Amino acid sequence: MLRILRAYLELTKPRILELLLVTTIPVMVFAADGRPDVGRMAAVLLGGALSAGSAGAFNMYLERESDALMERTAGRPLVTGVISPRAGLIFAWVLAVASVVWMVAAVGPLPAALSTAGLVLYVVLYTLVLKRRTEQNVVWGGIAGCMPVLVGWSAVRGGIEWPAIVLFLVVFFWTPAHYWPLSIRYREDYRRAGVPMLGATRDAGYVAVRVIGFAWATVLCSLMLPFVAEVSPVYWTAALVTGAGFLFSAHRLHARSRQGAELRPLLVFRASIVQLAVLFLAVGIDPFAR
């Protein structure tokens, strides 16, 4: 029984849930000027978790055949048979319906619509349309991962305002810079599965230049927040320090590719995680620092 429960949890892609927590909670605290409604925050997180979990389950159902060809994903429950494809699909639909009903009833129509849009974008735009057709798949498909920012903000303020748009763009530009180094690391997996991730279709130097471009866009967007909202030195410091670290790792990847040295792309991948996590932590702390 415990094995089955763990398999269903794996279907939800818990790491996507981590991104939900990292972005949604700080944004809600910031939008509420440090005084969020805890009950409303819990409702948003539950609805968001159901939606993100549904997206992950649909993704694993739709990609179960290609997952079997990739070393990184060969242990997923629909590949190993711990959960049947039919059970996995039913589970995905149950979570999807539950997320929509819960968000409408407990949070409101706008956050519910934005949350549902994120689910549809991930399953339809990214998984079904873009992933196997273009090496730019994570650029546009990554919009789904930006939606929790808008959901959290709209749940507090009742609409979408410039600070939410800026933070949305931070996550939008961060996603390719975060994921493309990982695609370099697992390029052979993607080639076997026929998935045209940029790291599998282009040489490392080409990928590194694009990682640099998106990393710079991420950092510059993070520095736009003080122009549309009041922030303290806590946010400024976090944005500058983590941004510098992220940019250094991206430029280092490019330098290594030109020198023919060991690429170590996961260093950029990890630096991107630190950058986003610390930046949004600063967003959540900022109202108290002010």
Side-chain angles (χ1 to χ4, degrees), residues 124-143:
V124 179
L125 180 66
Y126 174 66
T127 304
L128 287 176
V129 177
L130 296 177
K131 190 168 184 178
R132 292 184 172 277
R133 289 176 171 83
T134 172
E135 61 188 16
Q136 300 298 311
N137 42 31
V138 298
V139 177
W140 304 110
I143 294 173

Side-chain angles (χ1 to χ4, degrees), residues 177 181 207-216 244-257 267-268 271:
V207 180
V209 169
R210 272 109 196 118
V211 169
I212 288 172
F214 276 87
W216 270 103
F246 189 19
L247 291 173
F248 174 81
S249 68
H251 281 277
R252 186 60 178 160
L253 176 67
H254 182 245
R256 286 178 176 276
S257 71
L267 291 180
V268 187

Side-chain angles (χ1 to χ4, degrees), residues 164-177:
I165 294 172
V166 168
L167 293 172
F168 175 96
L169 290 174
V170 168
V171 182
F172 174 77
F173 288 116
W174 172 86
T175 302

Side-chain angles (χ1 to χ4, degrees), residues 54 92-102:
S54 171
W93 274 112
V94 168
L95 291 184
V97 173
S99 72
V100 174
V101 172
W102 174 258

